[in-house]
Amino acid sequence: MVFPSLSVHTKKSYRLFAVDLLGFGKSPKPRDCMYTLRDHLQMIEKSVIDPFQLNSFHVVAHSMGCVIAVALAAKYSESVKSITLVAPPYFPSSKEGASLAALRQLAARRIWPPLLFGSALMSWYEHLGRCVCFLFCRNHKTWEQILKLLTRIRDLPFSVVDLTQHTHHSAWHTMHNIICGGAKLLDKYLDTLTISRVKIHIIQGNKDQVVPLECSYNMKMKAPYAELSIIPNADHKTVIFGREEEFTRNLENLLDSIDNRQED
């Protein structure tokens, strides 16, 4: 779990939902879907917001999920209490365009770190990406069994298991339609959140090699009232993993402070 050390108070006071995005994890992976921002939002609405009749909630997201989270918060600006964005890939409007800037920065032809290599492979070398998905993603259960035998670990970390639970179709279209396509819409969504005074908390590690640190600073400039926390000696992954307890405590304090203030 991402939050293994939640307090008893939080468990009693909140209903927590960990969402597998459409096309990833255990969520459906339709072949006739283009995995647009609208598709992802509709999945969250149909699986979480509508069934549980959520009319007041907080949103927490990491990396690519931040784009979807900002869009969701803007759509439900009267219901969302706060939004916590961890390493948000935000690129302000420019002459070259936010979408092109996002593609060049987040899918550059690099072999390190591994996440950027994967993004480059899926974005620029489509046939190779399809081969990887065919060999590994399509047969992820077989590879999981092999990994369990080699490591003698019965319960593999979810971050390892979920890594291959997608298809090339879902990964490729999500990459282009969310990170690149959604980049040009973020300014509008942030304007909506600013007008609605939705509490925004931005977190990023100062050693992040996947999402440039300037993304968080630029988002802070776009939404000046947002709180920005730069975590020393943390990268794109360890900004959460390896410091789960600290991350959880800070998040709980944030939620309590907002809810207590609204009650007063």
Side-chain angles (χ1 to χ4, degrees):
M1 291 180 60
V2 179
F3 306 112
S5 55
L6 286 168
S7 66
V8 175
H9 167 72
T10 298
K11 292 178 180 179
K12 289 183 178 180
S13 302
Y14 299 93
R15 287 186 296 179
L16 304 174
F17 301 91
V19 179
D20 279 332
L21 295 180
L22 183 67
F24 295 81
K26 297 181 180 179
S27 289
K29 301 168 180 61
R31 295 184 179 181
D32 58 347
C33 178
M34 297 303 291
Y35 296 90
T36 63
L37 195 53
R38 177 180 294 180
D39 292 328
H40 282 284
L41 291 182
Q42 287 179 345
M43 187 279 291
I44 296 174
E45 290 170 333
K46 292 179 180 179
S47 61
V48 180
I49 294 179
D50 293 341
F52 294 95
Q53 299 179 349
L54 300 184
N55 53 26
S56 179
F57 55 90
H58 301 270
V59 180
V60 182
H62 174 242
S63 194
M64 180 187 72
C66 293
V67 180
I68 299 173
V70 170
L72 182 71
K75 184 174 182 178
Y76 291 89
S77 58
E78 295 183 359
S79 299
V80 67
K81 291 184 175 182
S82 74
I83 177 170
T84 299
L85 304 171
V86 185
Y90 168 69
F91 297 90
S93 299
S94 62
K95 290 184 179 180
E96 69 172 350
S99 296
L100 184 57
L103 182 63
R104 287 179 174 175
Q105 288 280 356
L106 302 179
R109 293 180 174 89
R110 295 171 57 182
I111 61 174
W112 192 264
L115 188 57
L116 273 185
F117 173 70
S119 297
L121 186 69
M122 300 299 289
S123 301
W124 299 102
Y125 307 101
E126 184 175 356
H127 295 298
L128 290 176
R130 287 186 183 276
C131 290
V132 170
C133 285
F134 182 80
L135 291 174
F136 290 96
C137 301
R138 187 173 182 180
N139 303 293
H140 66 89
K141 291 185 179 180
T142 300
W143 292 108
E144 288 169 18
Q145 292 300 322
I146 294 175
L147 191 57
K148 287 179 181 179
L149 290 174
L150 293 176
T151 61
R152 297 183 180 180
I153 298 176
R154 179 177 299 179
D155 296 319
L156 296 172
F158 80 92
S159 57
V160 174
V161 174
D162 285 357
L163 188 62
T164 56
Q165 292 192 29
H166 59 74
T167 66
H168 179 271
H169 183 76
S170 63
W172 193 89
H173 285 293
T174 295
M175 170 67 188
H176 286 270
N177 291 331
I178 301 302
I179 293 184
C180 300
K184 60 185 178 182
L185 302 173
L186 283 180
D187 279 344
K188 180 180 69 174
Y189 295 145
L190 287 172
D191 286 338
T192 300
L193 298 181
T194 299
I195 295 173
S196 301
R197 302 299 294 178
V198 174
K199 182 72 173 180
I200 301 176
H201 190 193
I202 307 166
I203 304 172
Q204 189 167 6
N206 69 340
K207 293 186 176 181
D208 196 328
Q209 294 181 294
V210 177
V211 174
L213 195 57
E214 64 189 65
C215 288
S216 290
Y217 287 116
N218 287 336
M219 183 173 283
K220 169 68 175 176
M221 291 178 63
K222 178 64 179 178
Y225 70 93
E227 293 184 4
L228 174 60
S229 299
I230 302 299
I231 309 302
N233 301 316
D235 57 26
H236 195 70
K237 180 180 178 181
T238 59
V239 69
I240 296 179
F241 300 104
R243 56 182 299 273
E244 291 93 341
E245 186 170 348
E246 179 184 353
F247 184 86
T248 301
R249 293 287 86 79
N250 291 337
L251 183 60
E252 288 179 325
N253 291 335
L254 172 67
L255 302 185
D256 285 341
S257 66
I258 294 173
D259 290 334
N260 292 336
R261 190 183 311 149
Q262 292 180 350
E263 289 177 2
D264 295 339

